[in-house]
Amino acid sequence: MQPDDNVDNITRIARSFVGARRDGHALPDYPGDMPAALDDGYAVQDAALALTEGKVAGWKVGRINPPIGAVDRLAGPIFTDQVVIVDGSPIATPVFADGFAAAEAEFLLRIGTAPDPAKRHYTIDEARTLIDAVHVGIEIASSPFPGINDHGAPVTISDFGNNNGLIVGAAVEDWRDIDVDTWPVETWIEGERAGAATTATMLDGPFGAARFLFELMAARGIALAAGQWISTGAVTGVHPVRVGDRVEARFDDRLTVECTIKAR
């Protein structure tokens, strides 16, 4: 592929995904030549970000398993109009019914101090000091392309990391004094347990996800801001959902987050 062809391919894919997400229709086939490398996937994501008018409210971090080289995580934007703060009202969150749809129980970190965009490397402790709140929540993973997770991380990255919403539940009030890695987390769908685990099984945990994101965004030249959310990764797995399903995420039997799934 010639360089100009690659640019045209990136633009075509980005325009297709942005249009499908805006109009709410599915893409039965991937809209171009699939990106083969992580940088190629992020090039499409960057092009799509430039085409959308949505404001970024945060970033999802997901696991790459098996890793690609030394990289074991990926990231994608979460837009303001897709963030729901739990207030006791019933929550119905949209997915692409003819695309891909899943729900993920996650710990959510809120950035309290924006990281230095020139700083390229962080320890977990350094990343942790930039966080001012920890919440429980559910990430809604959904894409117009049904096979978004079947072709490797670069393809997942190319469509905003397969994010389509974030439900922000209650705060973990004493998060600085406890180890949330020990909390048992369960995901229930339609009254049946779909998965159970702890963040101890998730690489270096939620704050490791923050470390990864800070380094990745510095490398990509994208500034992060105080108040943005980090959805740190699926604790119990990526659980497919259908329109009408009721989803409940339970965290150490202390906190719960619930929603139902509706069509986009």
Side-chain angles (χ1 to χ4, degrees), residues 15 18 33 67 69 82 85 92 102 105 108 114 126 139-140 152 162 185 198 228 233 249:
R15 286 177 176 169
V18 170
D33 297 328
Q82 294 178 320
I85 308 296
L108 316 180
E126 288 173 333
E139 182 199 348
I140 300 300
N162 194 20
V185 179
T198 69
Q228 288 183 327

Side-chain angles (χ1 to χ4, degrees), residues 57-186:
W59 294 84
K60 66 83 56 77
V61 175
R63 184 172 186 176
I64 299 175
N65 191 21
I68 298 177
V71 182
D72 50 21
R73 286 181 167 107
L74 58 80
I78 304 168
F79 294 99
T80 300
D81 62 355
Q82 294 178 320
V83 176
V84 179
I85 308 296
V86 172
D87 63 2
S89 304
I91 296 170
T93 187
V95 299
F96 294 93
D98 295 322
F100 177 89
E104 306 171 9
E106 308 205 4
F107 284 99
L108 316 180
L109 310 183
R110 189 177 67 194
I111 299 173
T113 302
D116 178 354
K119 183 176 172 61
R120 294 298 187 95
H121 300 287
Y122 287 82
T123 66
I124 291 180
D125 286 342
E126 288 173 333
R128 187 184 179 103
T129 63
L130 301 182
I131 302 303
D132 72 352
V134 177
H135 286 242
V136 298
I138 297 173
E139 182 199 348
I140 300 300
S142 189
S143 169
F145 176 48
I148 189 69
N149 280 353
D150 298 336
H151 301 280
V155 169
T156 302
I157 289 166
S158 71
D159 185 28
F160 294 147
N162 194 20
N163 176 265
N164 198 55
L166 188 68
I167 302 169
V168 181
V172 180
E173 297 293 349
D174 51 352
W175 64 273
R176 289 184 177 86
D177 303 317
I178 62 175
D179 182 6
V180 294
D181 282 350
T182 65
W183 279 25
V185 179
E186 297 179 345

Side-chain angles (χ1 to χ4, degrees), residues 215-237:
E215 293 181 352
L216 176 68
M217 293 297 103
R220 291 175 67 186
I222 297 176
L224 297 171
Q228 288 183 327
W229 293 99
I230 305 171
S231 191
T232 60
V235 182
T236 70

